[in-house]
Amino acid sequence: MAMSVGGGGGVQSEPNVTPMIDVLLVLLIIFMVVQAMSRVTLNVQVPPPNTPATAKGNPDQIVMELRDDGSYAINGQVVPKDQLAAQIHSIFDPRPAKLMFFKPGLNREYQDVIEAMDIALSSGVEIVGFTPAATVAATAS
């Protein structure tokens, strides 16, 4: 055991940073695990891009349109946003297949589509699909 006997100093103390680094590393690992577990997945069926769009759909399919003017329509019937949940419940409660397709307008925001999907999923829809988007050439003519 050596002791330094110096000529003029006094008492010098240095902080021990090892425990602080240990705590920070543990917190870093905890935050990384929590972040990975907080990811939410959403099961969506998206058609392949080369599927030709048919003019008339299957009459058993339920399609919710999110029109560019801000309105919502289920199979062509306009439904106010505050009545979407009740309308979806009345459609899907007697059905064994709980599949709904969404057809968002080209100018609708992502948040509007997610809100409509949340309403549908909380109203009894189990599977969500999307209809093919209209091509730019088809909308221009």
Side-chain angles (χ1 to χ4, degrees):
M1 289 204 210
M3 186 166 115
S4 134
V5 180
V11 178
Q12 293 183 353
S13 64
E14 294 180 16
N16 188 1
V17 294
T18 305
M20 183 179 67
I21 292 174
D22 290 344
V23 169
L24 288 177
L25 287 175
V26 169
L27 286 175
L28 178 67
I29 292 170
I30 290 173
F31 286 134
M32 289 171 53
V33 169
V34 168
Q35 178 65 25
M37 291 173 43
S38 68
R39 293 186 182 179
V40 178
T41 61
L42 186 62
N43 294 328
V44 176
Q45 295 179 353
V46 181
N50 58 359
T51 303
T54 59
K56 193 165 190 171
N58 188 349
D60 292 337
Q61 293 178 347
I62 306 298
V63 179
M64 179 186 288
E65 295 179 57
L66 285 79
R67 297 181 176 169
D68 286 333
D69 62 357
S71 63
Y72 298 86
I74 298 176
N75 284 355
Q77 179 184 0
V78 177
V79 178
K81 184 177 180 179
D82 58 348
Q83 296 178 3
L84 278 176
Q87 186 72 19
I88 293 170
H89 266 298
S90 66
I91 292 171
F92 283 100
D93 284 345
R95 296 175 142 249
K98 312 252 189 235
L99 168 66
M100 177 179 253
F101 290 98
F102 283 83
K103 185 177 182 182
L106 295 176
N107 295 326
R108 288 305 288 261
E109 292 184 5
Y110 177 73
Q111 181 176 350
D112 295 337
V113 177
I114 295 298
E115 284 177 359
M117 287 173 49
D118 284 341
I119 291 171
L121 291 171
S122 66
S123 299
V125 175
E126 294 175 358
I127 301 172
V128 173
F130 283 93
T131 60
T135 60
V136 177
T139 58
S141 56

